[in-house]
């Protein structure tokens, strides 16, 4: 019964992730609709359900997001298990947990390479302005370079303090350094997203993604060698690694959403046109501030309680009563 | 007006059923929350919490589903109401968050101040949510000012007037009664007897509110009984409603708690059906100009969307019913505390 419930929680989470990302993907690459009416009465009406659900970016993004969630889950387990191993508590539980989690982490982090790559190729086709912002491409060019890092000066249209691999961006999106990348200057000024935010968010995500692959590979490498639990430095790295997928997931969403600006539905409806007239700026401020305070408060509580729970540790496996199938009944 | 049974009417019905389901299900757990502070002992409070523990979040899903169905089937209603009631809905969300957190966090720590803090949050949030839901229903009865573009042009304070507050208080009373009966069903011994005593008080409180609300509606908002004049058969509903309410103390005194609870469910369903007949075919009545009202036609999605959604609903509803029923079956009977409890 518990196992069944656990499976349902897992399937339910993934199922809802699918629909959330599908809805968001439709905002990125709308499909399967036609516009009826004009001016303020215009609205998109569905013409083809499956074209709408399987719009050009859905599949890539669903896989990318779900895999990102697997990473977040895997590294939470890795972190707690590593902590127990360092503290020499609940060893049997921690050792088997960390192995399962490392396995998931390795697969998910490598999988992210493919889904991330596939997403980026999709963005280059469907949302070229976003790709241009992600890599700070201002003029149309072939042999476009891929930045490892940098700081974008949007006014002067340059990237400072940067290191880049020449031709790599063109190569990645078309497997040919001669692939042309559309630059931001090919778009009207009012159709360009903010560049530096998208650039930084995107590069941070990619950097963390690479770091997660390295961490998982180290873990699996020492696991195969049989010395995993003796690598104190790696265990400590694992303890803090819980933050990495969280940050990567957040900045990934920032890349996707800020990169879509100034559109709320790409190419169709501007964010400024999507505003509700019945809601004043004051009301929005009120709710934003309120929810920021709530979430800060809840976050502190959450960390406090989670910390207590981690310190308390799992119930002793052998001590669980046999009537576990019917709790609370 | 003529009733035509078309796709739009079916969706009005589905949303109605979802909201009735929500009121019946979340109604009792909000009611248990509203009564929570009247129970003083820590163990008894835990029993109260655990009586709703396995089911309250599933119950709230009905609200989410209702909101989701409204969003997809009648997007103009969703847009107008959610933007127009923005501040109220933000407060509702705030309360829903605190209530959920309170239920989850309360028993995680043993400190007295900690538990008292979350108990208070839980109870106040429960009362407030019921009250806000009532205010919303009240505003759908009185109507709200709209313009030709289906936009709300009133203010937050305009939503609060003696009538809507009255409907709010009535909703709190209704849910308290409903929750007390549920509590009687799920508890034993001392707490059981205490709750049994409260049922009568809550019934009296509810009946006073109910009569006042009905009178005010008949006097100030006669449009609500328009259909009843055209189809007098509908008065049977009102009669059934009264019988259901009258049946509650009878069943309680006979010790048939489950039947009392069923009666209470029936009276909630009847009340909301009366309300739905009152406003049909409108969703949101424009108080300034009836032509601006949002009804099941001018606020609806395209027929294609309604058709697709109907298919999804027909696939989804059996699942929801199946798991809802199995959860209530698994957690049937009186509450017993163990180390897995809240």
């Amino acid at each position: 019964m518990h196992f069944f419930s656990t499976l349902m929680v897992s399937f339910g989470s993934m199922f809802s992730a699918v629909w959330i990302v599908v809805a968001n993907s439709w905002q990125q690459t709308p499909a399967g609709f036609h516009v009826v009416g004009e001016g303020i009465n215009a609205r998109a009406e569905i013409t083809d359900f499956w074209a709408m659900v399987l719009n050009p970016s859905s599949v890539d993004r669903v896989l990318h997001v779900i895999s990102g969630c697997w990473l977040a889950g895997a590294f939470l387990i890795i972190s707690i298990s590593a902590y127990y191993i360092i503290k020499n508590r609940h060893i049997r539980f921690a050792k088997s947990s960390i192995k399962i989690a490392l396995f998931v982490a390795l697969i998910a982090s490598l999988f992210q390479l493919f889904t991330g790559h596939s997403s980026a190729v999709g963005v280059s086709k469907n949302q070229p302005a976003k790709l241009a912002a992600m890599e700070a491409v201002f003029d149309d060019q072939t042999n476009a370079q891929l930045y490892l890092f940098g700081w974008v000066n949007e006014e002067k249209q340059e990237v400072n303090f940067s290191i880049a691999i020449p031709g790599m961006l063109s190569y990645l999106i078309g497997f040919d350094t001669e692939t042309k990348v559309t630059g931001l200057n090919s778009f009207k000024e009012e159709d360009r997203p903010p560049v530096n935010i998208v650039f930084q968010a995107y590069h941070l995500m990619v950097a963390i993604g690479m770091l997660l692959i390295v961490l998982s590979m180290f873990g699996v490498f020492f696991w195969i060698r049989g010395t995993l639990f003796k690598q104190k430095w790696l265990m400590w790295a694992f303890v803090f690694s819980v933050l990495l997928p969280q940050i990567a997931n957040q900045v990934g969403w920032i890349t996707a959403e800020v990169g879509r600006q100034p559109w709320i539905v790409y190419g169709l409806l501007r964010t400024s046109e999507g505003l509700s007239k019945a809601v004043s700026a004051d009301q929005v401020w009120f709710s934003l501030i309120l929810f920021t305070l709530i979430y800060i408060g809840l976050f502190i509580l959450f960390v406090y309680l989670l910390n207590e729970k981690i310190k308390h540790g799992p119930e002793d496996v052998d001590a669980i009563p046999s009537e576990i199938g019917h709790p609370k009944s | 007006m003529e009733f035509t049974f078309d796709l739009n009417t079916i969706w009005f019905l589905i949303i109605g059923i979802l909201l009735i389901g929500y009121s019946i299900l979340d109604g009792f757990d909000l009611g248990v929350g509203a009564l929570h502070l009247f129970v003083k002992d820590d163990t008894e409070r835990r029993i109260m919490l655990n009586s709703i523990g396995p089911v309250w979040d599933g119950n709230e899903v009905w609200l989410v589903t209702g909101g989701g169905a409204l969003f997809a089937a009648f997007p103009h209603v969703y847009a107008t109401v959610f933007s127009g009631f923005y501040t109220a809905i933000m407060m509702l969300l705030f309360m829903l968050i605190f209530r959920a957190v309170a239920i989850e966090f309360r028993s995680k720590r043993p400190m007295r101040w900690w538990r008292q803090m979350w108990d208070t949050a839980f109870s106040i949030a429960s009362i407030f949510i019921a009250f806000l839901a009532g205010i919303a229903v009240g505003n759908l009865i009185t109507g709200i000012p709209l313009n030709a573009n289906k936009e709300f042009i009133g203010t937050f304070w305009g939503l609060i007037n003696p009538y809507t507050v009255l409907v709010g208080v009535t909703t709190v009373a209704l849910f308290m009664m409903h929750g007390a009966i549920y509590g009687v069903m799920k508890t034993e011994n001392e707490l059981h007897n205490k709750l049994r005593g409260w049922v009568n008080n809550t019934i009296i409180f509810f009946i006073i509110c109910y009569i006042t609300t009905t009178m005010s509606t008949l006097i100030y908002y006669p449009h609500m009984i328009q259909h009843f004049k055209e189809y007098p058969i509908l008065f049977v509903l009102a009669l059934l409603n009264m019988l259901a309410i009258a049946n509650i103390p009878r069943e309680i005194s006979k010790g048939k708690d489950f039947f009392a609870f069923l009666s209470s469910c029936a009276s909630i369903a009847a009340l909301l059906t009366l309300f739905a007949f009152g406003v049909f075919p409108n969703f949101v009545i424009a108080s300034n100009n009836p032509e601006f009202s949002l009804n099941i036609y001018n606020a609806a999605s395209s027929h294609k969307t309604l058709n697709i959604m109907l298919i999804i609903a027909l696939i989804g509803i059996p699942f929801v019913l199946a798991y809802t029923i199995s959860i209530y079956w698994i957690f049937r009977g009186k509450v017993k505390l163990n180390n897995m409890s809240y």
Side-chain angles (χ1 to χ4, degrees), chain A residues 11-172:
Chain A
F11 287 140
S13 310
M14 288 198 268
F15 197 60
S16 62
V18 167
W19 294 108
I20 292 167
V21 178
V22 162
N24 186 270
S25 294
W26 189 85
Q27 288 180 275
Q28 311 280 354
T29 52
F33 70 99
H34 64 156
V35 173
V36 179
E38 273 174 29
I40 191 143
N41 291 317
R43 66 173 185 178
E45 288 188 356
I46 182 169
T47 53
D48 181 344
F49 178 71
W50 291 109
M52 187 192 74
V53 172
L54 298 170
N55 65 65
S57 64
S58 309
V59 177
D60 285 335
R61 298 180 77 242
V62 165
L63 294 177
H64 199 57
V65 166
I66 289 188
S67 181
C69 297
W70 287 343
L71 280 174
F75 276 93
L76 176 67
I77 310 260
I78 288 176
S79 165
I80 296 170
S81 307
Y83 174 79
Y84 285 153
I85 289 165
I86 291 169
K87 295 283 165 190
N88 205 19
R89 289 165 50 195
H90 316 293
I91 289 293
R92 226 184 69 191
F93 171 80
K95 283 186 176 173
S96 46
S97 304
I98 203 170
K99 284 176 183 169
I100 298 170
L102 266 178
F103 180 71
V104 174
L106 182 66
I107 292 187
S109 60
L110 289 174
F111 190 53
Q112 285 303 59
L113 270 186
F114 292 100
T115 58
H117 169 73
S118 181
S119 284
V121 173
V123 169
S124 75
K125 286 191 196 118
N126 303 315
Q127 298 175 288
K130 187 195 277 187
L131 186 84
M134 279 153 64
E135 282 296 340
V137 180
F138 290 102
D139 297 314
D140 291 3
Q141 53 194 269
T142 57
N143 204 23
Q145 55 190 354
L146 185 79
Y147 288 100
L148 295 182
F149 55 85
W151 190 261
V152 186
N153 184 330
E154 294 183 40
E155 267 170 37
K156 290 191 186 157
Q157 303 210 329
E158 358 169 282
V159 182
N160 304 321
F161 318 109
S162 66
I163 290 186
I165 309 172
M168 196 62 181
L169 179 60
S170 287
Y171 181 76
L172 278 177

Side-chain angles (χ1 to χ4, degrees), chain B residues 296-324:
Chain B
I296 61 170
Y297 299 107
N298 72 359
S301 286
S302 68
H303 260 239
K304 173 124 181 137
T305 303
L306 294 182
N307 265 321
I308 294 172
M309 296 231 325
L310 192 59
I311 296 168
I312 296 173
L314 289 176
I315 299 171
I317 287 173
F319 274 106
V320 175
L321 284 179
Y323 79 64
T324 307

Side-chain angles (χ1 to χ4, degrees), chain A residues 1-2 43 45-47 49 276-279 283 287 290-291 294 298 301 304-305 308 327-329, chain B residues 83 86-87 90 93-94 97 101 105 109 111 114 118 151-152 300-302 304-305 308 330-331 338 340:
Chain A
M1 195 69 195
H2 273 209
R43 66 173 185 178
E45 288 188 356
I46 182 169
T47 53
F49 178 71
S276 178
K277 285 185 198 136
V279 181
Q283 285 173 298
S287 59
L290 187 72
F291 281 98
I294 291 175
L298 289 183
L301 271 172
Y304 164 69
L305 284 174
E308 293 285 324
K328 295 184 196 173
S329 63
Chain B
S83 298
Y86 187 82
T87 304
M90 286 301 139
L93 253 183
F94 177 86
I97 292 174
V101 170
F105 283 7
R109 305 269 78 209
M111 293 86 82
W114 170 274
W118 291 118
E151 287 159 348
F152 175 66
S301 286
S302 68
K304 173 124 181 137
T305 303
I308 294 172
I330 291 169
F331 294 104
N338 64 23
M340 308 283 282

